[in-house]
Amino acid sequence: MTLLSRAECSALRGIAIIGIFLHNYLHWLGPMVKENEYQFHMHNAERFWFIITHPDQNLLYHLFSFFGHYGVPVFVFLSGYGLYLKYESGATEERNQGTTESWISGVWAFMKSHYQKLFPMMFLGFVTFAMVDWMTPGRHHWTWDAIIEQLTMTINIFPDPDHRIWPGPYWFFGLMMELYLVYRLFLYRRHWAWNVGLIICCMAIQAMCCDNPEGDTINRIRYNFMGNMLPFGIGLLCAKIKPGLGNAELRNYGIMAFLLSTALVVGMSLNFWTWLFAPLFVVIAHVAFIKTLSSIPTADILVRGMAWVGGISAAIFVCHPITRKIFIPISRSGDILDGLVLYIVATIMLAMIFKKIIATLK
């Protein structure tokens, strides 16, 4: 028995992608409070607190704009969780590395298989977005090297990621390739202390940016694996947990964990030092929420609904920049809700089509 069932993992993906694709629409609208995803801007935190204490009619939009990006650490957590169950569940933590040649070939095969898994969905989304972008106002000027970097999923490591990566969400593919490599080189079938040590090192590197939390260094760190090692490592560790609680206990502990973690995430978002650790409590809040729902028989329809969204989450991820480019002018003209509803409906419909196409490309 594992901490999360397959259905619960899918439901978590559903919740995470809802936050991401709503955030990636709403934070482009001028009136909305902006997030602190890659850097910590104190003025964003202060404006968020002002919005919370002086709510207006756009409060829900502000919340998704400010917090929606936290769907990313949930996906990163699930990636670490899934890697352990797929490659290490039931195996000992000692590993036989064999010859250097066999070890290198094993790493190469591992990275190649995951690149081949990610490439069809990224390529389909990137090419389709490029065509739509060219036909709509405000088109982006790509350079040949940026295109190659995106297609090889190495664009994260290059300077000025804010302007080089377009459309923005596709940086996640480069992040996943980095995390796969880190896992295979340093964490695969190793003692849990390697994992904890790497988390501590990566958090310490981010903490060294305390003198300039709005600078380029912390920005580039958080576009890459060091800025995401905390939820990834926690995912690997949680995959080893064998829960032994009944439904009643899950409801009680789950509700408390969800409420406490949610409150902590809000409070931790207001200070640079605590902001660094907020993704941990984001993950706890999401897991506690879905475990609580799963323990309530009457809430099964909600879990199945979120799991359905999770089933098309990869397709939603690659196609939502396309629909955003088409419909966001409606919201920018003042009809926020009209544009948002069209964006949601069109994204879901296009994702269902993309899912079928991606399946044929693999």
Side-chain angles (χ1 to χ4, degrees):
M1 183 178 180
T2 58
L3 174 65
L4 295 166
S5 67
R6 187 180 297 271
E8 289 170 339
C9 287
S10 189
L12 281 172
R13 292 188 189 95
I15 298 173
I17 197 61
I18 289 171
I20 290 171
F21 95 97
L22 290 179
H23 158 78
N24 281 331
Y25 185 91
L26 292 167
H27 83 141
W28 281 98
L29 303 179
M32 305 309 163
V33 62
K34 302 303 182 284
E35 76 285 356
N36 287 328
E37 183 172 4
Y38 311 107
Q39 299 151 294
F40 184 82
H41 299 279
M42 192 63 210
H43 60 86
N44 286 348
E46 290 172 346
R47 181 155 185 257
F48 162 72
W49 187 247
F50 178 83
I51 291 294
I52 291 296
T53 54
H54 301 80
D56 58 22
Q57 71 275 12
N58 293 326
L59 178 60
L60 185 60
Y61 302 152
H62 287 300
L63 291 175
F64 276 110
S65 177
F66 191 76
F67 287 115
H69 69 89
Y70 278 127
V72 171
V74 176
F75 272 115
V76 172
F77 164 82
L78 289 171
S79 177
Y81 186 87
L83 282 173
Y84 180 86
L85 292 182
K86 183 176 181 179
Y87 294 103
E88 299 184 60
S89 182
T92 61
E93 292 189 334
E94 298 296 326
R95 65 178 190 172
N96 180 13
Q97 296 190 17
T99 65
T100 301
E101 291 79 8
S102 64
W103 180 77
I104 293 174
S105 63
V107 173
W108 171 255
F110 180 86
M111 296 302 297
K112 180 182 177 182
S113 68
H114 284 281
Y115 178 83
Q116 290 174 334
K117 181 178 68 175
L118 294 177
F119 183 79
M121 65 180 82
M122 187 274 294
F123 182 77
L124 175 62
F126 185 72
V127 171
T128 307
F129 176 84
M131 292 188 292
V132 171
D133 185 64
W134 183 256
M135 294 184 289
T136 52
R139 57 180 176 261
H140 179 73
H141 175 69
W142 276 287
T143 59
W144 66 268
D145 52 333
I147 295 173
I148 292 175
E149 291 159 10
Q150 182 63 70
L151 294 178
T152 55
M153 305 181 203
T154 58
I155 199 166
N156 303 50
I157 65 176
F158 292 93
D160 195 22
D162 286 341
H163 300 98
R164 195 171 190 84
I165 300 171
W166 187 253
Y170 292 174
W171 71 276
F172 186 76
F173 292 103
L175 170 65
M176 292 312 302
M177 290 302 295
E178 290 182 21
L179 290 171
Y180 289 145
L181 183 60
V182 168
Y183 168 74
R184 191 58 177 79
L185 290 179
F186 304 112
L187 304 176
Y188 173 62
R189 292 190 181 178
R190 290 191 185 272
H191 191 272
W192 59 265
W194 282 74
N195 188 352
V196 173
L198 191 53
I199 291 174
I200 293 173
C201 288
C202 291
M203 296 305 295
I205 291 171
Q206 293 181 72
M208 292 171 64
C209 299
C210 61
D211 291 337
N212 189 16
E214 300 182 10
D216 179 66
T217 301
I218 187 70
N219 190 42
R220 293 188 64 183
I221 286 173
R222 289 177 71 89
Y223 265 106
N224 291 280
F225 82 91
M226 288 184 291
N228 294 271
M229 191 61 217
L230 177 60
F232 184 73
I234 294 300
L236 290 169
L237 294 173
C238 285
K240 302 179 181 183
I241 296 176
K242 308 297 182 183
L245 297 177
N247 283 349
E249 293 172 300
L250 282 174
R251 279 196 296 272
N252 294 334
Y253 289 117
I255 292 172
M256 289 189 293
F258 170 70
L259 294 176
L260 179 59
S261 298
T262 301
L264 284 172
V265 170
V266 173
M268 295 172 80
S269 299
L270 304 177
N271 176 273
F272 171 76
W273 292 100
T274 53
W275 167 76
L276 293 175
F277 296 91
L280 170 61
F281 294 94
V282 167
V283 169
I284 293 174
H286 279 75
V287 172
F289 177 72
I290 205 65
K291 294 300 291 186
T292 301
L293 283 186
S294 297
S295 68
I296 303 173
T298 55
D300 181 62
I301 188 171
L302 293 176
V303 177
R304 286 190 283 114
M306 287 182 286
W308 180 85
V309 176
I312 60 171
S313 60
I316 290 175
F317 184 80
V318 297
C319 76
H320 81 270
I322 302 165
T323 51
R324 178 185 64 187
K325 185 73 190 296
I326 296 171
F327 293 109
I328 202 167
I330 299 174
S331 293
R332 283 177 168 167
S333 69
D335 299 319
I336 296 178
L337 184 58
D338 294 344
L340 182 61
V341 170
L342 287 170
Y343 166 70
I344 293 172
V345 173
T347 299
I348 293 174
M349 295 301 295
L350 187 60
M352 294 171 68
I353 297 171
F354 267 37
K355 183 180 180 181
K356 293 183 180 295
I357 298 174
I358 293 169
T360 64
L361 294 175
K362 289 184 176 181

